[in-house]
Amino acid sequence: MAEQHSRFVSEKELDRQRAFIEKIRKRTAAFTAEKGRPPYYHILTFGCQQNEADSEILSGLATEMGYCESEDPAQCELIVINTCAVREHAEKRALSITGQLKHLKAANPAMKIAICGCMVSQEHRRDDIKFRYPYVDILFGTDKLYRFPEYLSARLDGGKRSFSIPDSEGTIAEGLPVKRKNAFSSYVSVMYGCNNFCTYCIVPYVRGRERSRRPEDVVKEVKTLVEAGCREITLLGQNVNSYGKDLERPYDFSDLLKEIDAIEGDFWIRFMTSHPKDASKKLIDTIADGRHIAHQLHLPLQSGSDDVLKRMNRVYTFAQYQELAAYANERISDLAMTSDIIVGFPGESEDDFAKTLEALSAVRFDSIFSFLYSPRKGTPAASMEDQIGEAVKKERFERLLQLQNSISKEKNDRCEKSVQKVLVMGRSKTDDSTLTGRNEQNKLVHFKGSDSLIGRFVRIKITKAETFALFGELEED
Ligand code: SAH
Ligand code: SF4
Ligand code: F3S
């Protein structure tokens, strides 16, 4: 299909970008020779794993251009803010940080500021930045990541501020440099964009249409990571179950999982996100029969009310969801299921909300991510009648959390006294004497141990369970 291939950024275009990288390298080398230190960059990332993965590419590009990462934005020559638009709160935070950069740039006029990501793929936000934040140098949407060197080079050469207009179809750029945050746990995007247009959601407007990477490109990337010692690979897509629909041959996400599962090594495969309307029994069977596929499934329900689901355009009923969940639990007895729930969707009645509570009691998720509905400009739900007041949303949210917390605690309690394989992620953020890892079900596990264990699989005897984490002791081999 010619159409599919046209989504790929051409080699010629990528070469053009490499020439801009070279050009900036000469400039940064001169900077280093003059100042006795390299120019520094700092990237701030909001939003989901997809944005984290994009920031690793931006980081790779900045590194190739001769910049060095710094934790301190005040001393940087280059600052990038990678934004999210999924809820108002995320946008407010990004705008407030952008506001704070004003005085940093005043103190260091050579600093270049780039804003990218989902928020600025919306026209009204592009205008906000253009007119209210005149010290922002360049702005580009998620589809133009690969042109970052070009935009930066033009601005460094004294060009005008640049504001790219997103291509709503989106692009796929292979072979961009990646500087990964973590060598033992990595994200790999398998597809980009979303075609579902759930009525509350901004993502399809800011991430373009669904497009799949070629299976061979994904498999090669995973193989390289595993060979380099990576222990956990999370495959990313807004709706991974749509993977392959735009490929030339019949090939779906389960086929991709099977190919990755055949790679030799000691590693876990995780993936997100599955849309319940497309999550098939084949997918569940693939997880059940896999060697490396973690027994964990994130399957966003959003609401337990069929009426609300319909108005959300989710295209499944709670009964259909429940049937799939039951099949998954039957096939994979130690499966952990997690979900997303939106509270206070327009028109959500007390009765609708009660159905969501009943759904939580029936499915018994290990944990959920719950959100207060946030109207997004340009989405159908934002102009629906009967928007729910903040006080009602918050009161329902509290009830939802109370119920879920008791379910999470009960589910975690069942892990007590078991021995779990855990990937050690690092030191606990709140207690420096403790290491934190994740088990196959993606539950947090805290225990005492030395730094040398970070990035390794260990065995932990669980001694205590709490609502949000398990605690245990290292089992010696
Ligand atoms: N593609 C994924 C996740 C998209 S965003 C999926 O379909 O599940 C992650 C979560 O944010 C969604 O699952 C939803 O629960 C929540 N979300 C999206 N838009 C929202 C909005 N306008 N208000 C509140 N929560 C929202
Ligand atoms: Fe948004 Fe729905 Fe697409 Fe998920 S599937 S990104 S919730 S539109
Ligand atoms: Fe946010 Fe964009 Fe992800 S809107 S949730 S960063 S896809």
Side-chain angles (χ1 to χ4, degrees):
M1 263 188 296
E3 196 192 330
Q4 206 244 331
H5 288 295
S6 68
R7 291 182 183 172
F8 286 89
V9 176
S10 68
E11 256 320 297
K12 196 170 148 213
E13 173 59 26
L14 291 173
D15 277 342
R16 207 171 70 85
Q17 295 303 323
R18 284 182 198 115
F20 288 116
I21 292 178
E22 271 316 304
K23 198 170 162 200
I24 298 179
R25 262 186 102 83
K26 290 202 184 105
R27 188 186 277 274
T28 53
F31 179 101
T32 310
E34 189 196 324
K35 306 265 183 194
R37 67 156 179 93
Y40 293 126
Y41 78 91
H42 184 80
I43 302 181
L44 268 151
T45 310
F46 294 92
C48 65
Q49 289 82 354
Q50 200 98 62
N51 256 19
E52 302 270 348
D54 284 351
S55 284
E56 293 189 343
I57 291 176
L58 290 163
S59 208
L61 289 167
T63 306
E64 290 221 331
M65 294 188 285
Y67 289 86
C68 246
E69 192 163 13
S70 161
E71 285 306 308
D72 177 14
Q75 61 160 209
C76 284
E77 278 66 39
L78 174 63
I79 295 185
V80 184
I81 306 184
N82 193 3
T83 62
C84 169
V86 81
R87 281 170 291 276
E88 191 185 5
H89 181 65
E91 293 198 320
K92 277 198 169 149
R93 279 182 58 218
L95 289 171
S96 135
I97 298 263
T98 309
Q100 289 164 26
L101 294 181
K102 186 178 180 178
H103 69 272
L104 288 192
K105 178 127 176 187
N108 177 12
M111 172 189 283
K112 294 287 172 264
I113 299 175
I115 313 253
C116 61
C118 297
M119 181 180 85
V120 295
S121 295
Q122 306 168 98
E123 195 180 349
H124 68 286
R125 289 303 185 201
R126 243 186 349 264
D127 289 347
D128 276 351
I129 303 284
K130 202 183 240 175
F131 301 117
R132 290 176 40 210
Y133 303 85
Y135 47 90
V136 170
D137 294 286
I138 56 184
L139 178 152
F140 52 94
T142 55
D143 62 318
K144 298 282 175 20
L145 218 58
Y146 69 97
R147 287 178 72 175
F148 176 39
E150 175 186 351
Y151 300 141
L152 182 60
S153 176
R155 187 64 175 154
L156 286 168
D157 283 347
K160 281 198 272 184
R161 301 165 75 205
S162 69
F163 298 87
S164 90
I165 311 269
D167 154 12
S168 63
E169 286 299 302
T171 51
I172 301 182
E174 289 292 349
L176 296 178
V178 187
K179 184 168 175 270
R180 296 186 193 273
K181 270 215 169 122
N182 194 325
F184 52 85
S185 171
S186 299
Y187 296 127
V188 173
S189 295
V190 303
M191 61 184 299
Y192 307 96
C194 181
N195 288 357
N196 290 311
F197 291 95
C198 303
T199 53
Y200 50 80
C201 185
I202 197 71
V203 172
Y205 304 88
V206 294
R207 284 262 171 194
R209 298 289 62 74
E210 277 173 7
R211 51 215 189 266
S212 308
R213 289 181 68 197
R214 287 175 289 243
E216 55 273 28
D217 290 334
V218 177
V219 173
K220 194 169 124 203
E221 185 172 344
V222 174
K223 219 178 230 165
T224 308
L225 285 167
V226 171
E227 281 164 6
C230 188
R231 295 284 179 236
E232 177 181 72
I233 286 146
T234 307
L235 306 176
L236 299 180
Q238 292 302 338
N239 173 14
V240 290
N241 305 113
S242 284
Y243 178 81
K245 282 186 182 164
D246 55 342
L247 294 174
E248 281 167 39
R249 58 187 165 120
Y251 191 97
D252 66 14
F253 185 62
S254 300
D255 299 326
L256 182 68
L257 272 180
K258 280 181 201 160
E259 253 193 84
I260 293 173
D261 193 52
I263 298 171
E264 290 305 326
D266 191 10
F267 66 101
W268 280 330
I269 307 163
R270 305 186 189 277
F271 57 88
M272 65 191 309
T273 297
S274 289
H275 193 304
K277 82 179 162 63
D278 306 306
S280 58
K281 290 191 174 170
K282 180 177 174 190
L283 175 75
I284 307 293
D285 293 339
T286 307
I287 304 173
D289 300 337
R291 303 182 300 164
H292 303 293
I293 309 170
H295 287 182
Q296 171 230 331
L297 185 63
H298 183 61
L299 197 61
L301 171 66
Q302 311 299 2
S303 168
S305 153
D306 287 345
D307 193 40
V308 173
L309 286 172
K310 194 161 184 202
R311 282 183 295 112
M312 286 178 164
N313 189 30
R314 291 292 286 181
V315 208
Y316 53 84
T317 61
F318 177 60
Q320 285 164 336
Y321 184 99
Q322 214 178 3
E323 193 199 327
L324 189 70
Y327 183 74
N329 282 319
E330 188 188 305
R331 282 291 274 122
I332 311 161
S333 59
D334 62 346
L335 182 76
M337 265 185 72
T338 54
S339 206
D340 292 346
I341 301 285
I342 296 179
V343 176
F345 184 79
E348 181 188 72
S349 65
E350 190 50 40
D351 189 43
D352 290 321
F353 179 66
K355 286 188 175 132
T356 299
L357 295 180
E358 281 164 29
L360 294 196
S361 300
V363 182
R364 299 178 58 76
F365 297 111
D366 288 79
S367 61
I368 59 167
F369 299 91
S370 39
F371 308 103
L372 299 177
Y373 168 70
S374 168
R376 304 286 66 215
K377 196 179 162 106
T379 60
S383 48
M384 282 180 188
E385 280 173 18
D386 204 5
Q387 298 281 329
I388 309 290
E390 286 305 300
V392 173
K393 280 188 205 168
K394 284 189 180 138
E395 187 271 333
R396 287 182 186 164
F397 190 81
E398 280 309 313
R399 278 193 279 157
L400 186 87
L401 280 197
Q402 256 188 23
L403 171 62
Q404 181 56 43
N405 287 351
S406 68
I407 298 171
S408 296
K409 173 76 167 72
E410 276 172 42
K411 292 210 99 173
N412 283 352
D413 279 346
R414 289 198 215 145
C415 300
E416 274 189 17
K417 298 201 177 69
S418 66
V419 176
Q420 308 256 337
K421 182 175 173 178
V422 170
L423 178 61
V424 188
M425 305 303 288
R427 288 267 149 219
S428 153
K429 286 196 188 102
T430 49
D431 171 8
D432 203 37
S433 70
T434 301
L435 286 173
T436 291
R438 288 194 178 266
N439 71 358
E440 184 179 336
Q441 284 71 20
N442 212 23
K443 290 181 196 263
L444 276 176
V445 182
H446 302 299
F447 57 97
K448 304 271 179 214
S450 73
D451 280 354
S452 63
L453 299 175
I454 295 172
R456 287 173 48 189
F457 281 124
V458 293
R459 297 183 68 74
I460 303 291
K461 172 91 183 264
I462 304 301
T463 50
K464 189 171 78 160
E466 287 187 359
T467 308
F468 301 108
L470 305 171
F471 296 80
E473 288 160 8
L474 197 61
E475 289 250 304
E476 300 301 337
D477 283 333

